[in-house]
Structures are given as C-alpha cells and as structure tokens.
Amino acid sequence: MSNPIEVALAKMTSIESDLREALKIGPNESDTRLKVLDRILFEVLEWKHEAVFTEPPTESGYIDYLLTVGEKRSALVVEAKRAGRLKSPSKSEKPTNVSLLGPITKPFEPGIRQAKSYASENGVAVAVVTDGESWLFFRASRTDGKKPLDGKGIFFPSMSSVMENFARFYELLSPTAVLDRRQLAHLVEAEGLTVGDTEQHYYVFKPAEAKMRKRDPLANDAALLFGQFFSRLSNDQDREMLRDCFVETHESRKADLELQKIIQKILNNVATVDTGSGGELQVQLERAIQSGRSETILLIGNKGSGKSTFVDRFFDQTLPLNVRQRCAVARIDLGNYHGDKDGIVSWAILQLREQLEPLVCDNNPPSYEDLLGIFFQEYQRWSTGFKRPLYEQDKTQFKIEFGAHMEDRREKHPDDYVRKILDWSSRGQKKLPCLIFDNTDQFSMEVQDAVYQLAHSLEGAAVVFNVVPITDRTVWRLSKAGALQSYTARSFYLPVPDAKEIISRRVEFLKQKLKAAPKKASAYFSNKGFSVEIGDIAALSDTVGAIFVDNDYVSGLIGRLGNFDIRRMLKLAERIFLSPELKIDDIVRSKFGGRSVTADKYRTHRALVKGEYDRFSETENEFVSNLFSTNHQLPESPLLAFYILWVLRQRMNSVRDDGVEAKHWLIVELCEFFEPCGVAEELVLQSVRRLYERRLIEAFDPNLKEVGIADKITIKDSGVAHIELMLQSTVYVEQAALVTGINEIAVRDEIKQRVHQGAFVELRDIFLKYILKVDATRISIPTTPNYRQLSEARKQIKALCAAERTPRKRMRFEGGGQRGSNFRTKR
C-alpha cells in the first residue's frame, strides 16, 4: 500500500474505535487534544513533533497547535475545544461548504474569531476549529480585500464524515498538503473561485508527433565514433582510452557551489583534489603506509564526473612506482551487483576474496603454502596447543586436518577469511590493502549505508586504505542517515573539466591512434567495429574538433546546458554531431576538396534543438526546454518560467558574502514576490516544479524528488543557458513558435502561413507579440524599484521583435517534417 492517503486511512481506521470511545466520555479540552487530536496529527497524518508547536504565546493568547513547514514557517493554526462543544444544528453527515457567520457555524463563532486572531498575528492563511468530532477549515487571513469572516469554510460535522471523506480531510490537514498549499486550493474552490479557466491550445506542429529523420550516409559511422570515443565514460574493454583521455584539472567552476553547500551543511574537511598529481590524496595514502593507521577516503563528485576513471588512473599511473608497489588494490564495482539490499555485504566480501587472493598469494588459486601464510597464527596455535600431540606424531595427518580447516574457513566463513587476508597483506607482506568501493550511487540508501559501514569495519581487521567514490547527493543522504557522523573519513571533491577540454583530449587520442602504422591503426579501429576507411575516421575526428574544440561558443553552451555533468555534456555533443541539421556528409566532403562547409551557429542551434527529429519536442530532448510552454488546464503567463529564471539569476549574482545558502530562495518567498503581479501561488509553484524537473533550477537539498513551498532553490547553469537561448537564439524562438500551444486559432493560422512562405522574421514577430499580449493580461508588473529587474526581463523580450528586422542571409530551414515543408527563409 504505497498511496499515502490509503496508508493514512488505514491508520485512522485502526484507531477509530479508540477515538470514538475517548470522545464519548466527553473529555475536557486537554483530554481532547491528548487522546484525539494528538493521535490524528502524529499517528495518522504523520506530522513531525518538531514541526508542531503547542501553546506558543501570541498577543491574543496561546495557540493550541501551530503547524509549521520547512524552516519553522507558520502554516496552519488549530484551535481545539472540549468534545461536544461544537455540535452543529446540521443534520447532514457530508462535508459542507458553509458561511463562517451562518447558522450552521454559530457554535464555532468564538473559536473562529480566536483562530483568526492567532492566524493573523502569525501570518497564517488557514485555520481549523475542532472538538475532535466536528472540524471546520477556513481562510483565516486574506489578501484579496475580503474580510475573513465573510468567507466560507469546509465543515466536517462528525467523525463519520471524516472517515467517509477521508481523502478530502487528508488534503486539508496532512503535512504534504499544507506544504503544497492544497488546503488553500480546496478553500478557494469552496468559495466558488477558480485560479484560471482551461483553455484550448492550437499547434502549428504538435510536438508529440515528432518523427525521426533519415540519417546522412556517414551519420552511422559518426554515431559509432561518438559511441566508442566520446559518449562513453565506462568501458572495460578500452580502459586505456578512458585513462589517457582523463582531463587533469586543479579547479572547477562547477565545484564552487556544490563544494560550498557540502562544507557549510555537512562536512567541514572537504578539499578539492588535484587530478593531475593526486595531491593531498597521495599524501594521505603515504601517511597510512608510514603510520600503520587505516584511512577512509570519500571521493565526492557529481554524477558523470569521472570518479571511477580518476581512481583507476591514480593507482595505475599517477602514484610513483615505489608507492604503487607497496599497495594491493582491489576494486569492488557495485555496477555488477544484482541489487538486493540484504545481500550486499556478503556479495562484497566474496568480491574482495576473489580480488585479494591473487594480490597477496604467489599462486592463483592459492597453494597450501599461500594459505598457510594467511592462517599462520592459527597454525602455530594448533601445533603448540590442543593439536600438539598429532603434530609431533604425524605431521602429514596434521597438515591434512589443518588444510581442511583452512578450506572450511575460506568457503563457509568468507568474512573472517577476508579479514585474515587483509591482515596478512599489511602485516606479513608489508602491502597496504587499498579497497575501492565503486558505483554505490545507483543503489538505495540502505545499500550505500551498508557498504560504507563495511568499509569502516574492515579497518578493525588490518591497516587498510578505503576509497569510496560518491556523488554530492549521496553525501547528503548519508549525512541524514547519520553514517557520516558515526565514522571518521577524509573527503575530497573531484573538479569537473570543461566540455572543450574533455572532447579535445579525446580528439588527440584518436589522432595518435590514426598516426600509428597503417596495419596497427586499421586493426585497432576494426576491433571497435569500424568498416570505413581510416581517412574517413580521420575526417570525422577533425570534424568533431572543428565543431566542439575550435568553437568556444558551442563547447561553452553544451557545458552550461549539461550543468557541467561530463556524461550529459558528451551526450549533448553527440546529439549535435549526429543531427541531420549539421549535415556531416557535407562537412566531411569539404575536407577532401569539396565546397567549404562549416557548422555555423544556426546549424548548431538547429541540431541542438531538434536533434535527429523533424521538430523540437521536449519528450525526446532532455536538454532543451520550451520556456514559452503553458499548462492548458491551469494556464499561466507564457513568460512566467523565463521571469522566474531571470530573478533567480539576479538573486544569485547579487549575493556575495552571505554564503551559499543565501544564493537560494525560498519558494514561498518567490511566490510572495510574484503575488503583487497578480500571479497565484499555484501558478508559481507549477512553473517552479517544471523547471526543477527539467534541471534548470536546483534545490538546496539535491535529493528532493519534488520541491514544495518550504524548499530553497537557485538557478542552475542550464537555466542560465536557457535565458541565453531565449534572448540570442532565433532558432530557439522559431522552433518554440512551431510547437507551443497557442490559445488563439487565428494567431496559429497566421504563424502557419508564414511557415509556408518561409517568412521566419515575420513568424517570430507574430509569435512574440502574441506571447507579450498574453503575458500582459496575466502579469501586471508593479512600477516600484523592487520590480525593476522583472520589467527589464519583459523589455528584453519586447526588444526581440524589433531586433530581428535587419535582413539576414537566406538559410535553409527544415520545417515540421511533412511533405513540402523544406523551404528557404530570408533572414
């Protein structure tokens, strides 16, 4: 049973008889709270005790319950009365929308006025008056010019009405609902008000009907090239390529914000690792060797930052030979684990056994003599202790029995056996066991915690050097679970290089392979699946360099759109390179004496936006979002998402010395910022959640699946890149115009007509004027200085219309993928 409402109802049902019995006795107010309200709030609805304040003082008196969200922000007032005190004259058992000063709520009037005062003094929008049996929810403070007592509330007359309509009750009082302000939405609806009307959307080309276009002949080879040498971050069959292409970097622009967040909130001993020399990481390893003390290292980096490759390279190439020879390195790759959280420790132990034996034994599988070294202390105990008579009388039989004992320990007690191997390695062979627990991030917190605890437990068996590569998200999760506070570890942050540096290194690797002897080069590429000529591979490699290495604009854009995640940056580069918009055939042909063709800015933007499809579609494009898109069921301004990104960017840029948390903005404060503009809270939250899902903004806590009003957010690099696309990319605006839902069919038809005429300057003007017209009806920007930046954002969009009046060269533009949709346009 995973539905939270169903879970809560089951709990309510299980204590219903207890609640009814307590109410039947007719307790006083304190008993009502203790025996009924406390159980409903804490047991059924799962409010956290630290989020609920009882009897906090106000100017009007003491609040029975003040429910808070996030950082103790007041959210809801509950005024409790003695059971039976609020019996209503209503005979209905159904929840009812009632006037607050009507006859049904007459018994509630003193409690309503009391709760209203408490709510007003604490900035709370909603209050509840209840005696445990009857419940009245109402808007206790308002900003719409209406007096709270002139409004309506939602009235549950009895416990039976609560049970029969529990989903609605849950939506009014549960922590999740209060966090999302759903209780306010229910009360607005109870007054017959709506935030916005559903509108019909018309499309020039429906984004859901996007189709893949035919690849150019060389595109398949280009796909193979990218798949083998550019997109891939893990490749057991070509570890040489990954190690040689690893980019050494001392610092990272992306590391700054993430590192500050971790240092200020979780760990205070994090240092940025020098990926070229190993730096402090090598110092820690040598210190463990010299001091004979165990060490656990957390190697922190975002997903796709190259942590695994760095570790391989560190132990295989970076460490000086004299240090490397004193290490026994075992890498436990959890990427090969089947995922059962209950079996992770046993599986990891068996992996350690298989990897450590060849490192500490002279033979593989271990010989009797090898095992004897591992079990030497027990051998001595047997030969001088309880097995001494057998040892002195029949050494052969003694060896047989001891051999059986060793095999029994190896097979039936692998955990104990692995600990003996670690001890033999560090004490007997003077080699430091270096244990790498890699790829833990893809598993649940239980698995991660178990692996982390296993790593630390092995420190008790011998001197070991543990390395656990993890993401910043995992660090946050482990901190909440308490594991980071329970054990000592040194932490290092792995910087992220630029996209240009990553691709450049891989192009150079390819060139070195192509320069090898013809037969050797041909054999190398044949083994990778290439059937084309070496010259074609060289041309494709040069083309990659020309597009992404020689062009700082392109590499910078994909870096920002990929949020400086190496994996995403390379996938973005692959998307551009394989798009029919780029026309790889023409570019490669120009390398062999054909007409000069380059990947200009327009081609690159079309490749980025459309990929291999006939139109822009967010469904297939995880990197580029349509900021003009609106929800037809709850329509907002088509510029609201852009405005949110704009003010978040300004917020980040304006904060200097107050720490990283100050660069994040509480969503509830963002909602309050837009309230004077006439934008409902639900609309702001709707847009924020979409931006969060599309990775244009991030939460202070990186593990949130969905953000709520009590969470803090800031703009991501991808969000900054989208502002750039909005204001500088004519292709982005054109493609958005073709696939954005428009609520005026005449405007849609006008745009469609310009498509067939190839008049894209006029098309953009028509679309942007429509966007600005709708925006003006839905957002009214105050003229105060505090809203100057919002006015500037709107001004930037207005300027796009006039800016595109200058003629540009004619350029072919692929349209919606239908017959006759290929055309040329005057720019």
Side-chain angles (χ1 to χ4, degrees):
M1 189 183 295
S2 57
N3 186 310
I5 297 178
E6 292 178 357
V7 172
L9 177 58
K11 292 178 179 177
M12 186 74 169
T13 303
S14 68
I15 66 170
E16 180 184 1
S17 59
D18 293 344
L19 300 180
R20 290 184 180 278
E21 190 63 32
L23 292 169
K24 188 185 300 183
I25 297 172
N28 57 34
E29 181 183 317
S30 297
D31 280 349
T32 300
R33 289 167 53 181
L34 177 65
K35 297 176 181 178
V36 179
L37 303 187
D38 280 5
R39 299 197 68 181
I40 291 175
L41 289 174
F42 299 120
E43 294 182 37
V44 176
L45 300 177
E46 295 187 343
W47 279 92
K48 303 296 183 184
H49 284 84
E50 59 268 24
V52 178
F53 293 86
T54 56
E55 301 291 339
T58 71
E59 294 177 8
S60 304
Y62 295 88
I63 305 174
D64 289 329
Y65 294 92
L66 179 62
L67 310 185
T68 67
V69 294
E71 299 178 338
K72 303 295 185 290
R73 293 181 67 88
S74 301
L76 195 144
V77 164
V78 179
E79 176 65 19
K81 298 300 179 183
R82 176 174 56 81
R85 176 80 178 273
L86 303 178
K87 189 169 181 60
S88 168
S90 173
K91 303 300 181 182
S92 173
E93 286 294 321
K94 294 182 179 180
T96 310
N97 300 333
V98 296
S99 296
L100 295 184
L101 295 180
I104 292 179
T105 57
K106 192 68 175 176
F108 289 78
E109 189 173 333
I112 291 172
R113 295 184 181 278
Q114 204 173 354
K116 181 179 74 69
S117 298
Y118 296 153
S120 176
E121 291 166 13
N122 285 272
V124 175
V126 175
V128 186
V129 180
T130 179
D131 62 354
E133 179 78 25
S134 301
W135 298 75
L136 176 65
F137 297 81
F138 66 98
R139 297 173 68 182
S141 60
R142 309 177 70 118
T143 58
D144 58 356
K146 193 173 186 177
K147 296 179 180 179
L149 294 181
D150 290 340
K152 290 186 177 182
I154 299 175
F155 177 55
F156 291 79
S158 66
M159 181 69 69
S160 297
S161 66
V162 169
M163 298 301 297
E164 292 172 9
N165 300 272
F166 187 79
R168 193 178 186 190
F169 180 80
Y170 182 91
E171 289 274 287
L172 287 163
L173 194 55
S174 71
T176 304
V178 171
L179 188 64
D180 290 348
R181 301 287 181 94
R182 292 204 293 270
Q183 88 282 22
L184 193 56
H186 280 282
L187 289 166
V188 169
E189 184 179 351
E191 294 185 341
L193 303 176
T194 58
V195 174
D197 297 323
T198 298
E199 63 183 17
Q200 180 70 46
H201 277 176
Y202 307 96
Y203 299 86
V204 177
F205 300 117
K206 292 183 178 180
E209 296 177 0
K211 296 179 177 61
M212 292 194 76
R213 294 165 57 194
K214 185 178 179 180
R215 279 182 173 177
D216 292 336
L218 265 181
N220 287 327
D221 295 312
L224 183 57
L225 183 84
F226 245 87
Q228 289 289 348
F229 298 105
F230 293 95
S231 304
R232 192 166 291 186
L233 283 181
S234 60
N235 187 349
D236 292 335
Q237 296 178 349
D238 202 349
R239 300 180 82 86
E240 171 202 4
M241 186 271 289
L242 291 177
R243 287 197 297 264
D244 289 354
C245 293
F246 187 84
V247 178
E248 299 173 1
T249 180
H250 301 280
E251 57 186 13
S252 164
R253 71 190 69 176
K254 182 58 183 172
D256 294 343
L257 189 62
E258 303 298 343
L259 190 56
Q260 289 178 49
K261 284 166 64 173
I262 293 170
I263 290 173
Q264 291 184 16
K265 280 293 182 179
I266 302 174
L267 304 168
N268 59 9
N269 64 338
V270 187
T272 303
V273 68
D274 184 335
T275 59
S277 65
E280 185 65 21
L281 183 59
Q282 180 179 326
V283 171
Q284 293 298 318
L285 190 147
E286 292 178 348
R287 185 177 297 164
I289 293 175
Q290 294 167 4
S291 67
R293 296 183 60 182
S294 295
E295 191 82 67
T296 292
I297 300 295
L298 296 180
L299 183 64
I300 306 168
N302 66 20
K303 189 176 181 181
S305 61
K307 298 183 291 295
S308 300
T309 303
F310 168 75
V311 171
D312 283 351
R313 191 170 175 273
F314 175 76
F315 284 106
D316 291 347
Q317 297 178 4
T318 306
L319 277 179
L321 182 61
N322 64 319
V323 179
R324 207 182 315 158
Q325 290 174 337
R326 298 185 63 184
C327 299
V329 182
R331 179 174 177 265
I332 310 307
D333 185 359
L334 271 80
N336 299 321
Y337 182 56
H338 53 71
D340 178 18
K341 61 181 176 61
D342 296 325
I344 181 60
V345 172
S346 299
W347 179 87
I349 288 294
L350 293 178
Q351 294 295 308
L352 282 170
R353 185 184 72 181
E354 300 306 316
Q355 291 199 39
L356 288 170
E357 281 183 338
L359 296 174
V360 302
C361 300
D362 295 330
N363 303 279
N364 191 21
S367 67
Y368 187 95
E369 288 70 24
D370 291 328
L371 292 172
L372 198 59
I374 297 171
F375 285 90
F376 185 70
Q377 289 183 330
E378 285 193 52
Y379 182 87
Q380 283 189 314
R381 184 171 61 82
W382 275 37
S383 62
T384 60
F386 77 105
K387 288 284 186 177
R388 179 178 176 182
L390 178 61
Y391 175 77
E392 293 176 345
Q393 293 176 11
D394 192 342
K395 287 187 173 56
T396 300
Q397 184 60 32
F398 177 86
K399 289 182 65 178
I400 291 172
E401 290 189 17
F402 192 74
H405 167 72
M406 291 190 295
E407 183 62 16
D408 179 77
R409 302 302 294 175
R410 181 186 182 278
E411 291 296 323
K412 296 181 180 179
H413 303 277
D415 182 79
D416 178 62
Y417 176 69
V418 163
R419 293 172 189 274
K420 288 184 181 298
I421 294 179
L422 295 173
D423 179 64
W424 172 244
S425 175
S426 61
R427 187 174 50 81
Q429 297 198 339
K430 307 301 181 185
K431 280 190 173 185
L432 176 67
C434 299
L435 312 181
I436 305 159
F437 297 89
D438 203 5
N439 290 320
T440 62
D441 297 296
Q442 57 190 289
F443 294 99
S444 65
M445 183 164 39
E446 291 86 354
V447 170
Q448 293 170 3
D449 208 24
V451 171
Y452 193 58
Q453 291 179 27
L454 171 63
H456 277 284
S457 73
L458 296 176
E459 293 181 0
V463 179
V464 296
F465 189 78
N466 293 314
V467 179
V468 186
I470 56 177
T471 65
D472 54 321
R473 292 188 174 192
T474 302
V475 169
W476 281 78
R477 280 198 295 264
L478 287 174
S479 70
K480 290 184 177 181
L484 292 182
Q485 284 72 35
S486 302
Y487 305 102
T488 302
R490 288 299 306 272
S491 304
F492 295 94
Y493 198 97
L494 188 68
V496 181
D498 287 335
K500 178 178 178 178
E501 295 171 324
I502 299 165
I503 297 174
S504 175
R505 185 66 62 90
R506 296 184 180 214
V507 169
E508 287 302 315
F509 177 84
L510 270 174
K511 288 181 176 179
Q512 292 300 318
K513 290 298 181 184
L514 290 164
K515 287 179 182 178
K519 286 187 177 179
K520 187 175 182 181
S522 180
Y524 176 80
F525 287 101
S526 294
N527 289 335
K528 300 288 178 243
F530 290 92
S531 58
V532 297
E533 297 294 329
I534 293 296
D536 288 338
I537 298 174
L540 286 171
S541 176
D542 288 341
T543 303
V544 173
I547 296 171
F548 301 109
V549 179
D550 300 342
N551 191 333
D552 287 338
Y553 170 78
V554 176
S555 56
L557 179 61
I558 67 174
R560 293 188 293 279
L561 283 174
N563 287 317
F564 294 97
D565 177 318
I566 294 179
R567 197 179 304 275
R568 289 175 62 82
M569 287 191 289
L570 292 178
K571 291 300 291 183
L572 254 170
E574 180 179 34
R575 175 185 179 82
I576 293 171
F577 195 67
L578 299 184
S579 173
E581 296 288 346
L582 210 57
K583 300 194 180 301
I584 291 297
D585 275 26
D586 291 347
I587 295 175
V588 171
R589 217 171 279 124
S590 70
K591 301 289 182 183
F592 295 100
R595 183 174 61 87
S596 177
V597 177
T598 58
D600 58 33
K601 184 175 179 179
Y602 292 105
R603 280 190 174 191
T604 303
H605 275 209
R606 289 200 304 273
L608 170 67
V609 173
K610 296 170 67 176
E612 294 192 76
Y613 286 76
D614 60 4
R615 71 198 69 180
F616 173 34
S617 173
E618 282 189 347
T619 303
E620 65 81 29
N621 191 338
E622 61 176 303
F623 305 102
V624 179
S625 300
N626 184 358
L627 293 187
F628 298 105
S629 179
T630 58
N631 181 354
H632 74 96
Q633 293 181 319
L634 194 62
E636 71 273 34
S637 162
L639 290 179
L640 180 57
F642 172 68
Y643 291 152
I644 290 171
L645 291 177
W646 185 279
V647 296
L648 287 176
R649 185 185 64 172
Q650 295 305 119
R651 168 88 173 198
M652 172 175 278
N653 292 339
S654 63
V655 174
R656 299 296 179 189
D657 303 320
D658 295 332
V660 66
E661 192 167 0
K663 295 178 183 291
H664 293 69
W665 204 354
L666 270 169
I667 295 176
V668 68
E669 293 178 351
L670 186 66
C671 293
E672 291 167 357
F673 174 80
F674 278 100
E675 187 179 6
C677 303
V679 184
E681 182 179 89
E682 293 88 343
L683 298 179
V684 177
L685 188 58
Q686 172 180 266
S687 291
V688 164
R689 282 177 168 164
R690 183 168 179 271
L691 292 170
Y692 184 72
E693 181 184 354
R694 299 289 297 180
R695 306 189 191 195
L696 276 66
I697 61 175
E698 65 179 317
F700 188 73
D701 182 345
N703 291 299
L704 294 176
K705 292 183 179 179
E706 186 179 78
V707 290
I709 59 168
D711 295 313
K712 293 183 175 181
I713 56 172
T714 190
I715 190 170
K716 290 174 74 78
D717 294 287
S718 178
V720 175
H722 273 76
I723 294 176
E724 177 185 328
L725 286 175
M726 193 92 153
L727 300 180
Q728 299 179 19
S729 174
T730 58
V731 172
Y732 176 80
V733 177
E734 288 166 0
Q735 281 296 307
L738 298 179
V739 299
T740 298
I742 294 171
N743 65 16
E744 295 182 26
I745 194 168
V747 174
R748 191 281 307 269
D749 291 344
E750 200 174 351
I751 293 174
K752 210 168 199 176
Q753 184 181 16
R754 297 304 189 278
V755 170
H756 293 301
Q757 295 172 350
F760 269 72
V761 172
E762 291 86 347
L763 181 154
R764 287 193 299 273
D765 275 355
I766 293 168
F767 177 67
L768 288 172
K769 286 176 181 176
Y770 160 78
I771 291 295
L772 287 164
K773 183 180 75 170
V774 176
D775 174 60
T777 63
R778 295 178 180 173
I779 294 184
S780 177
I781 301 177
T783 56
T784 60
N786 197 38
Y787 289 87
R788 185 175 61 251
Q789 280 301 325
L790 212 55
S791 297
E792 177 63 26
R794 179 181 279 175
K795 181 181 176 182
Q796 292 289 328
I797 300 298
K798 287 181 178 178
L800 293 180
C801 300
E804 296 301 323
R805 296 297 183 191
T806 55
R808 296 182 182 271
K809 63 180 181 179
R810 295 168 66 88
M811 178 169 295
R812 184 176 175 84
F813 187 95
E814 299 294 329
Q818 301 174 12
R819 185 180 299 275
S821 61
N822 295 342
F823 44 79
R824 295 179 180 273
T825 177
K826 294 179 182 179
R827 295 186 180 274

